[in-house]
Amino acid sequence: PPPAGGGGGGNPPPPPRLDGSSSWTSHSAAPYPHPELSSSSLGGRGLECSNRHYGVPANLVQPTYGRDMGDGWETARHPDRPAVWVKDPSTGLLRSKLGDWAVLKLGAGGTFAGVARVIVDTRHFRGNYPESFMVEGCRCPPGDGGDERACAATPEEGEGDGDEGGSESDAREVEWFPLVPRTRAGPDAEHVYLRSGRGGPGVVGRVVNGT
């Protein structure tokens, strides 16, 4: 993403695709009335993730565009992948609970007005982008171990890779609510979602990638 405030920050144009064209469009470079609270320049942080094989969650909150896939968050192939995938006929998405997750903390003290826009960027990921993703949020007031509770209340066993999920007490203390429902992802693109929703101090986001 660009620096807060919507400016492009002098970022280079997107690289060409293998056929010489590029489908990547920078919606986030256009002027926007609200700052990007996930940006590390405003205090956004990548707290935890299920898989660090090729990247860390801090890569998801950088204030500039990634130069290549190494600047993103790429996970290893899930060891429990089935030999044959089955699609859910009602959604067209894979019928599976396998996936990986990353927990991001919004900067600037979170937001009281709610999250107005969510952008999930798969730039540079053209053959290995996730099949789908969803984005959730929770309220964790600063201090008193809020970050740790949010990270401990991870998806249930089978939805992540490497962790068995948090305890029942963590799940009761941290209420995750949907920001973007599970949605099909595309390659080399900014997926933009405008919404009106819940906010509050110390909002934390959780991104769950489909397999």
Side-chain angles (χ1 to χ4, degrees):
N11 295 288
R17 296 175 64 87
L18 295 180
D19 61 0
S21 64
S22 176
S23 64
W24 191 85
T25 300
S26 178
H27 301 281
S28 58
Y32 195 68
H34 305 299
E36 183 189 336
L37 295 178
S38 65
S39 173
S40 60
S41 63
L42 289 181
R45 294 172 55 202
L47 296 180
E48 190 56 86
C49 67
S50 60
N51 190 297
R52 298 172 182 261
H53 192 77
Y54 294 114
V56 295
N59 289 354
L60 300 177
V61 297
Q62 296 304 308
T64 56
Y65 295 117
R67 295 165 297 180
D68 51 38
M69 289 191 300
D71 286 337
W73 177 51
E74 181 181 4
T75 62
R77 177 170 295 189
H78 202 288
D80 297 327
R81 286 169 59 99
V84 178
W85 291 102
V86 178
K87 284 189 176 182
D88 185 331
S90 63
T91 65
L93 301 175
L94 296 180
R95 184 178 290 167
S96 172
K97 291 186 177 181
L98 299 179
D100 288 297
W101 52 264
V103 179
L104 312 176
K105 183 176 183 178
L106 300 186
T111 173
F112 288 91
V115 176
R117 182 174 73 166
V118 175
I119 298 179
V120 177
D121 189 357
T122 59
R123 185 183 185 187
H124 304 301
F125 289 86
R126 298 167 184 166
N128 55 349
Y129 59 94
E131 181 257 2
S132 58
F133 63 85
M134 63 181 182
V135 183
E136 299 173 308
C138 75
R139 292 189 181 119
C140 286
D144 196 26
D147 293 352
E148 290 76 12
R149 292 200 304 273
C151 293
T154 57
E156 293 78 8
E157 183 176 3
E159 293 184 26
D161 179 12
D163 285 347
E164 294 184 355
S167 66
E168 292 184 6
S169 60
D170 292 324
R172 288 193 298 268
E173 291 180 1
V174 177
E175 177 193 359
W176 292 99
F177 50 85
L179 295 175
V180 178
R182 186 180 174 191
T183 303
R184 181 177 297 281
D188 199 36
E190 281 190 345
H191 304 72
V192 183
Y193 301 89
L194 301 178
R195 63 179 308 281
S196 60
R198 300 167 60 177
V203 173
V204 176
R206 178 170 71 181
V207 181
V208 181
N209 283 336
T211 302

